[in-house]
Amino acid sequence: MINQRQQILNLLGLARRAGQLVTGEGMVLTALQKDQVRIVLLASDAGQATIKKVTDKCQTHQVRMVNDFTRLEISQAIGQARTIVGITGAGFAKKIHQLTTKLNEGE
C-alpha cells in the first residue's frame, strides 16, 4: 500500500495529464486572482519572497495552501521543474485536501 505522500504526488501527475494543473509562479498567481485554483502546492524549499507572496494571495482568495513537499518531489511528480502548482479541478483538489489532512494528522 502506498502512503499518503505518494498518493498526493500521483494525483499531481494525473491532474497534469487531465489538464487540471496550473504550474509556475506567474500562472498560479494569475489563476488565483481569477478564482480558478482550488488548492496550491508550494515547495517547502521555495524562496522566502515566493512563500510570502503566495501565502498572502492564498489567504486573500481563501485557497488552501500545502507546503509538505520539496521542489524535487513536485517536479518529479509532474515531469517538469516547478516550485509551485495549482489544482483547478474540484475532484483532485478535494482528494488532495483529504490526503494532506490525514498526512498532517499523522494517520
Side-chain angles (χ1 to χ4, degrees):
M1 180 170 158
I2 57 176
N3 62 24
Q4 279 106 357
R5 290 181 67 81
Q6 192 57 51
Q7 283 182 312
I8 294 166
L9 294 171
N10 290 347
L11 284 171
L12 285 182
L14 282 173
R16 180 168 185 257
R17 289 189 291 282
Q20 297 183 6
L21 191 74
V22 181
T23 67
E25 185 178 340
M27 297 286 286
V28 171
L29 292 175
T30 300
L32 271 169
Q33 290 173 332
K34 295 178 180 177
D35 291 325
Q36 296 172 335
V37 175
R38 302 188 186 264
I39 193 166
V40 171
L41 281 86
L42 177 65
S44 56
D45 54 352
Q48 289 301 316
T50 302
I51 291 172
K52 179 169 178 13
K53 190 186 313 178
V54 173
T55 301
D56 291 348
K57 279 281 188 224
C58 285
Q59 287 174 348
T60 300
H61 294 279
Q62 297 177 340
V63 172
R64 181 178 165 91
M65 187 181 85
V66 176
N67 62 348
D68 295 330
F69 301 95
T70 64
R71 182 179 299 150
L72 179 64
E73 289 173 316
I74 292 171
S75 298
Q76 286 178 339
I78 64 170
Q80 54 187 164
R82 291 292 184 262
T83 304
I84 181 172
V85 295
I87 306 290
T88 57
F92 285 113
K94 181 180 177 185
K95 187 64 177 173
I96 289 172
H97 180 272
Q98 289 171 347
L99 289 169
T100 55
T101 301
K102 284 182 185 178
L103 181 68
N104 292 327
E105 289 173 355
E107 285 186 23

